[in-house]
Amino acid sequence: MMDASDTKGALSGLVVLDLSRILAGPTCTQLLADLGATVWKIENPKTGGDDTRAWGPPYAPDGDGNDSDLSAYFMSSNRGKRSVAADLANPADRALLERLAARADVVIENFKPGGLEQYGLDHATLCARHPGLVYCSISGFGQTGPNRNKPGYDLMAQGYGGIMSLTGAPDGPPMKVGVGIADVMCGMYATIGILAALRHRDATGEGQHIDLALVDAQMAWLINEGVNFLTSGTPPQRRGNGHPNIVPYDVFAASDGHVIIAVGNDSQFVRFCDFIGRADLPEDPRFATNPARLIHREALLPQVATALGRFSMADIIAGLEARKVPVGPVNTIPQALDSDQAHARDATVELARDNAPPVRVLGNPLKLSRTPVRHDLPPPSFGEGTNALKEWLGERENADTAHTDEHKRVD
């Protein structure tokens, strides 16, 4: 058991062979790196590495002020790792990865199902050789099922999995979420699965294969709307910023911007109506309870909107906070990331780079009291860790040889 005073990171000593690219897998391995794991990110020299290195601008500048190979997209999910240039079709490179797999605790990949079999790096081959290995496969639709061979991208997962049907204005088209949330949440599920499998490995010595699909993960986080349908049989509808089960819970226009109102119960509704000067609304049977307000949503919301439009954002926020009614601003990304709260909570971090300006990236939100997350390695330039991996493997193998020789001498 790890000493609670360990400050190296909760996953210090864990070794990860990262064969993933784009966003879902890299999100997972970045989280593992933040928690102390050593992550070796394998990138194909024939393609210039992870596809997202070219998903710019913007790019971080190099030491001469020119664009580097660090796009903002790539940097969003690849800090804390070491980049290794290796071509799976090259026998020498493949042998290097096989040596790394023998030392790794975790392998993660997002090739199409069966795509790694020709290289001997698939889960069946590696798990048979290394029974304690935790091997995570991420794909669009999973390793089984009629769609297993179809490609998987975030937008396709959002479309297939149903979330786009819920997102957007009621009279508008289906809309994706503003960021690659299907990929990101899949990476979160992958992290949880890997940690659970490691717990089992540490208790029993048995590794295992984790089969995770973007679409499966996306359907899992339909949350209340998914269960609303399963319970009622009625397909959920797009409501813009409105809530399917609470009214009023929406974005409203103030005289100088927009605010979020989240009235969670009937007593809050009474206090809310007192502030907007409509104490008569809770007395109307159509609006007295939340179930009634849900039924009469279309009659209530225009009246609420008209009343709120007379106030400024600042007055609404101050007035409702004083009455303990949930309220907040609609911030732009600059306003959010440069807010006092963001600074107090290290929502962004600055990472130093050798011979180049530092880069600013989003911080890890986990606040661990005894094993804090690490933000000590910037996103890597392509292939910069290749020699380091060879040296590291040599040191490990030499150490094993010395241990074996010493054991023989003792016998």
Side-chain angles (χ1 to χ4, degrees), residues 322-375:
R323 290 168 173 80
K324 300 188 184 306
V325 176
V327 62
V330 179
N331 282 332
T332 64
I333 288 179
Q335 288 171 332
L337 296 183
D338 289 330
S339 66
D340 292 344
Q341 182 69 16
H343 288 302
R345 300 286 293 174
D346 294 326
T348 67
V349 293
E350 189 173 271
L351 303 177
R353 294 188 293 156
D354 292 336
N355 305 316
V359 293
R360 190 179 176 201
V361 297
L362 300 176
N364 190 308
L366 291 170
K367 312 299 180 189
L368 300 175
S369 64
R370 304 304 297 272
T371 54
V373 299
R374 305 187 325 186
H375 295 121

Side-chain angles (χ1 to χ4, degrees), residues 84-170:
V84 177
D87 178 5
L88 302 189
N90 182 304
D93 287 352
R94 192 161 61 249
L96 179 70
L97 299 187
E98 289 172 353
R99 291 164 59 199
L100 175 53
R103 305 282 162 178
D105 299 281
V106 176
V107 174
I108 182 168
E109 56 91 7
N110 65 342
F111 285 71
K112 289 182 181 179
L116 287 173
E117 291 177 4
Q118 61 184 313
Y119 305 117
L121 296 172
D122 56 295
H123 70 88
T125 301
L126 290 184
C127 290
R129 291 178 184 170
H130 313 295
L133 186 65
V134 171
Y135 191 113
C136 180
S137 297
I138 295 175
S139 59
F141 290 87
Q143 304 295 305
T144 60
N147 292 340
R148 68 183 295 267
N149 292 319
K150 290 185 177 182
Y153 287 89
D154 176 89
L155 182 59
M156 295 178 184
Q158 289 196 39
Y160 193 96
I163 192 65
M164 286 179 65
S165 74
L166 303 179
T167 307

Side-chain angles (χ1 to χ4, degrees), residues 184-207:
V184 171
M185 285 303 300
C186 187
M188 296 285 188
Y189 280 111
T191 304
I192 294 168
I194 287 170
L195 294 178
L198 288 170
R199 169 78 170 177
H200 176 77
R201 191 277 310 267
D202 291 345
T204 67
E206 298 175 339

Side-chain angles (χ1 to χ4, degrees), residues 16-152:
V16 179
L17 167 53
D18 184 3
L19 293 168
S20 70
R21 59 199 183 280
I22 313 294
L23 188 56
T27 293
C28 169
T29 52
Q30 177 171 267
L31 286 172
L32 297 176
D34 287 349
L35 291 168
T38 297
V39 177
W40 299 100
K41 180 180 178 68
I42 310 306
E43 301 190 70
N44 189 345
K46 289 183 177 178
T47 63
D50 192 311
D51 305 45
T52 62
R53 288 188 182 274
W55 289 10
Y59 295 92
D62 62 18
D64 298 322
N66 301 313
D67 286 345
S68 69
D69 64 354
L70 300 179
S71 71
Y73 198 112
F74 176 84
M75 290 193 294
S76 72
S77 56
N78 284 288
R79 67 166 173 264
K81 308 175 188 179
R82 295 161 175 83
S83 171
V84 177
D87 178 5
L88 302 189
N90 182 304
D93 287 352
R94 192 161 61 249
L96 179 70
L97 299 187
E98 289 172 353
R99 291 164 59 199
L100 175 53
R103 305 282 162 178
D105 299 281
V106 176
V107 174
I108 182 168
E109 56 91 7
N110 65 342
F111 285 71
K112 289 182 181 179
L116 287 173
E117 291 177 4
Q118 61 184 313
Y119 305 117
L121 296 172
D122 56 295
H123 70 88
T125 301
L126 290 184
C127 290
R129 291 178 184 170
H130 313 295
L133 186 65
V134 171
Y135 191 113
C136 180
S137 297
I138 295 175
S139 59
F141 290 87
Q143 304 295 305
T144 60
N147 292 340
R148 68 183 295 267
N149 292 319
K150 290 185 177 182

